[in-house]
Amino acid sequence: MCHCGINIGSVVNVPEVVEYAKTLPNVAHAERNLYTCSSEGLRKIKEAIEKYNLNRVIVASCTPRTHEPLFRATCEEAGVNKYLFEMANIREQCSWVHSHEPKKATEKAKEIIRMAVAKARLLQPQEEPEIDVRPSALVIGGGISGLTAALCLANQGFKVHVVEKEPELGGLLKKVHKLYPSMEDASKVLKNAIKAVKSSKDITVLTSTIIKNMKGFIGNFDVTVQTGKQNPQTIQVGTIIVASGATSLEPIGMFGYGESKNVITQLQLEELLKTGKLKKPKRVVMIQCVGARQETGRTYCSRVCCMTALKNSMLIKELNPDTDIYILYRELQTYGKEYEEWHRMAQDKGIKFIKYALERPPEVTTTPNGKLSVKVHHALLDEEITIESDLVVLSTPMIQHEDGKALSQMLKVPLGADGFFLEAHVKLRPIDFASDGIFVCGTAHSPKDVAESIAQAYGAASRASIPMALKRLRTEAITSSVDESLCSGCGTCVKLCPYGAIEKDQKGVAKVTAVVCKGCGVCAATCPERAITMRHFTNEQIIAQALA
């Protein structure tokens, strides 16, 4: 049992619970640690296994989601099958939710541990299936993150297929003029990456190509793609990286966008600056958080808009120092020392910042002389200000592509509430999906700048290279199994399995592909014939916990 510092120990009476655990049937030994996950705590587990000849181990501490793999590995090192280990969560499910009721929390901790002991008596050793892994990868998306991931994998000697739906590589970066904070030409960075990819003998690039279908599992994916009007072809790969990127919101009907040619987005301003077509406006007004951070619709912050506005306003000042520039903002997100310096530099160059409130957004109208009039309530001065402008630039958020939902369903990977691809765990598995062998990077995952997209691409490539380098992989043994004598072939489990792990065989009986199954239990819970059993979570084990 773990004190977990003060997380458990300050609420639950740990010594009392340990003494109680010693009285439970079949418990040979019980002890407590300040931090069981520390090297000292893990050493004590190994020593106890050897000293007391233990064949089951229970750790009462925090969530299995974070620490169960560590304790399982410790048991294996001491000669105990990892599936003979059980965890009792007395932090999230006890001390944290009952922090003001220490006596009741102590009694609940006893009950949770009693349930864990009841289940542990019925645990059975499990074997993890091994599969071969193809040493090749598919990268979906030819933007800067996809190109970076492909190069990283190719440099390690793996075959890589890059699939891009557009006729050219480059993604959203093709439209960007300069990169902050280095102010390097985006086209130069992109050109070097594309050149490196096209010159690599291990990378096959397929442009104007879409994903039609995907079957298989980690190490053995069969992906059907179609290039233009050609016949579909199947690519066999071991891992997949989703780097499909994002697009920019078109704010139709907002602040005169679509009605006046002088109301544009930041991305359109980037193109004007890049091509040198921007005339020398006398006054420019930039409006932040257009279509973002709203109570309804897109509630998230796109993270790059504020720095993009600062960068582009500075570039306009370089072209014409006399241009008067206003940035209307709600909160300016220039996080980090370097970006905060940009904020100060912009102020020093005479760029004016006006704070407005969400409930009183700016109003843009066209004057009789063809100019744009922007009326804004200055939240700090508490007064209305009217600005006559030649150009209004709207900072809009990055959004998921229209075909993002279809791609997520095809790959059987989820989208988050913001519409972007959702990682398995924000801290523990930030670039993995719940489906093994598929990884995510770049703006397909969330809005981010180029430097962060590149860093995440390296991470995704690193994760994808591990199973390919090992060539063989052991998968989780906690899966479902079907009793063929009970299965009626109704197909309920096939329809409900979120991972596509169940299919009917030639006899019409449900068959589970173990390496795809995630042990979620949906099939076992819904099978009308009770023909499906969950390994490590059998009916007998669950009932034993309930009746403990």
Side-chain angles (χ1 to χ4, degrees):
M1 184 173 174
C2 185
H3 284 259
C4 197
I6 62 171
N7 284 294
I8 296 172
S10 64
V11 179
V12 175
N13 187 332
V14 175
E16 180 182 332
V17 178
V18 170
E19 291 305 311
Y20 170 78
K22 291 178 180 178
T23 67
L24 295 173
N26 304 117
V27 173
H29 174 67
E31 65 178 67
R32 57 192 172 97
N33 308 105
L34 184 60
Y35 292 104
T36 308
C37 60
S38 66
S39 56
E40 176 65 16
L42 300 178
R43 182 184 63 80
K44 287 187 175 181
I45 291 176
K46 294 178 185 178
E47 288 179 353
I49 290 172
E50 182 178 359
K51 182 177 180 181
Y52 298 98
N53 194 29
L54 304 181
N55 57 17
R56 304 288 190 281
V57 177
I58 298 170
V59 172
S61 59
C62 56
T63 169
R65 192 173 187 182
T66 56
H67 286 76
E68 188 172 50
L70 177 65
F71 294 130
R72 279 183 172 182
T74 302
C75 290
E76 275 196 314
E77 291 172 11
V80 175
N81 185 281
K82 65 194 293 185
Y83 294 97
L84 297 177
F85 169 80
E86 181 67 16
M87 247 184 125
N89 187 346
I90 59 171
R91 188 180 72 178
E92 283 81 353
Q93 295 178 2
C94 189
S95 65
W96 278 4
V97 291
H98 305 295
S99 59
H100 301 298
E101 301 175 291
K103 289 185 178 180
K104 291 183 178 180
T106 299
E107 292 305 311
K108 183 176 179 179
K110 293 178 182 179
E111 293 179 4
I112 292 172
I113 291 173
R114 186 170 69 246
M115 292 169 65
V117 172
K119 180 186 176 184
R121 293 192 197 105
L122 301 175
L123 291 177
Q124 296 295 322
Q126 304 289 341
E127 290 188 11
E128 295 179 332
E130 278 196 358
I131 56 172
D132 292 324
V133 179
R134 296 166 179 159
S136 59
L138 171 68
V139 177
I140 303 175
I144 189 62
S145 55
L147 296 173
T148 302
L151 279 170
C152 185
L153 289 171
N155 290 338
Q156 296 177 67
F158 301 113
K159 297 292 182 182
V160 185
H161 302 269
V162 177
V163 171
E164 169 58 49
K165 68 176 182 178
E166 299 294 335
E168 297 179 2
L169 297 173
L172 207 59
L173 195 57
K174 293 197 300 262
K175 301 179 181 180
V176 177
H177 179 36
K178 298 277 189 178
L179 301 178
Y180 64 80
S182 65
M183 298 305 281
E184 187 176 4
D185 281 342
S187 56
K188 181 180 178 182
V189 174
L190 188 57
K191 184 179 179 181
N192 291 338
I194 292 174
K195 183 180 179 181
V197 165
K198 288 185 175 181
S199 62
S200 174
K201 61 181 177 59
D202 291 322
I203 300 177
T204 302
V205 177
L206 298 172
T207 54
S208 300
T209 303
I210 59 173
I211 308 292
K212 297 288 289 184
N213 192 23
M214 189 278 286
K215 292 183 179 180
F217 44 86
I218 180 172
N220 297 270
F221 291 111
D222 293 330
V223 185
T224 303
V225 301
Q226 184 172 20
T227 303
K229 296 182 179 180
Q230 298 177 16
N231 292 329
Q233 60 174 308
T234 299
I235 300 173
Q236 296 183 326
V237 295
T239 58
I240 298 173
I241 294 178
V242 178
S244 52
T247 188
S248 181
L249 175 69
E250 286 284 314
I252 301 296
M254 304 175 71
F255 302 102
Y257 184 84
E259 301 169 7
S260 172
K261 64 178 182 179
N262 292 324
V263 179
I264 62 175
T265 64
Q266 288 287 356
L267 196 60
Q268 290 168 334
L269 176 60
E270 294 268 2
E271 292 185 88
L272 291 175
L273 289 167
K274 187 172 186 175
T275 57
K277 294 180 180 180
L278 181 68
K279 299 176 182 178
K280 294 184 178 180
K282 292 183 179 179
R283 184 170 294 144
V284 176
V285 175
M286 296 183 179
I287 304 176
Q288 303 302 103
C289 298
V290 175
R293 300 177 65 231
Q294 307 289 331
E295 294 179 359
T296 58
R298 291 170 178 85
T299 59
Y300 58 88
C301 171
S302 198
R303 301 184 63 227
V304 300
C305 308
C306 291
M307 276 306 302
T308 299
L310 288 178
K311 177 196 71 175
N312 288 340
S313 62
M314 302 273 271
L315 290 172
I316 293 172
K317 278 288 188 182
E318 286 181 11
L319 291 173
N320 185 19
D322 295 329
T323 299
D324 204 10
I325 302 176
Y326 291 81
I327 296 179
L328 313 185
Y329 69 98
R330 283 168 53 197
E331 284 90 18
L332 210 61
Q333 308 291 348
T334 54
Y335 50 90
K337 181 181 178 182
E338 190 170 25
Y339 295 162
E340 185 60 32
E341 287 296 325
W342 274 66
H343 186 190
R344 294 193 180 95
M345 288 164 56
Q347 289 175 316
D348 292 341
K349 288 184 176 292
I351 297 168
K352 302 173 183 66
F353 295 85
I354 298 177
K355 181 178 176 63
Y356 72 91
L358 173 63
E359 58 274 9
R360 300 185 69 173
E363 297 177 11
V364 179
T365 56
T366 304
T367 62
N369 62 0
K371 295 281 188 178
L372 293 168
S373 176
V374 182
K375 185 167 70 173
V376 59
H377 179 265
H378 198 308
L380 302 180
L381 299 180
D382 193 23
E383 64 179 50
E384 293 280 352
I385 296 176
T386 300
I387 308 167
E388 194 174 87
S389 176
D390 301 304
L391 186 66
V392 172
V393 184
L394 308 180
S395 294
T396 60
M398 290 185 187
I399 60 173
Q400 179 60 265
H401 288 293
E402 290 182 2
D403 52 0
K405 186 175 182 180
L407 182 60
S408 75
Q409 292 173 345
M410 204 177 301
L411 299 179
K412 297 180 180 63
V413 295
L415 298 176
D418 56 6
F420 291 95
F421 286 95
L422 183 66
E423 71 284 341
H425 191 284
V426 67
K427 291 184 178 180
L428 303 177
R429 300 176 67 194
I431 48 183
D432 294 38
F433 284 114
S435 298
D436 291 335
I438 308 180
F439 309 91
V440 64
C441 65
T443 54
H445 170 253
S446 63
K448 51 178 65 72
D449 60 26
V450 173
E452 192 174 350
S453 294
I454 291 173
Q456 198 174 40
Y458 280 126
S462 175
R463 292 286 295 138
S465 68
I466 293 171
M468 293 193 295
L470 294 173
K471 297 183 180 179
R472 290 186 64 81
L473 184 69
R474 293 170 63 187
T475 61
E476 184 75 30
I478 302 177
T479 58
S480 61
S481 62
V482 179
D483 185 339
E484 294 186 7
S485 64
L486 295 177
C487 179
S488 65
C490 66
T492 301
C493 55
V494 177
K495 294 177 182 177
L496 293 178
C497 179
Y499 302 99
I502 308 178
E503 295 179 345
K504 287 185 183 181
D505 63 13
Q506 294 178 347
K507 301 176 184 178
V509 175
K511 182 180 179 181
V512 179
T513 304
V515 293
V516 182
C517 178
K518 291 297 171 187
C520 66
V522 171
C523 56
T526 56
C527 178
E529 305 296 338
R530 298 183 180 273
I532 301 179
T533 301
M534 298 303 304
R535 295 185 179 91
H536 201 69
F537 290 94
T538 64
N539 291 342
E540 292 77 14
Q541 292 167 352
I542 300 300
I543 291 171
Q545 284 185 289
L547 299 179

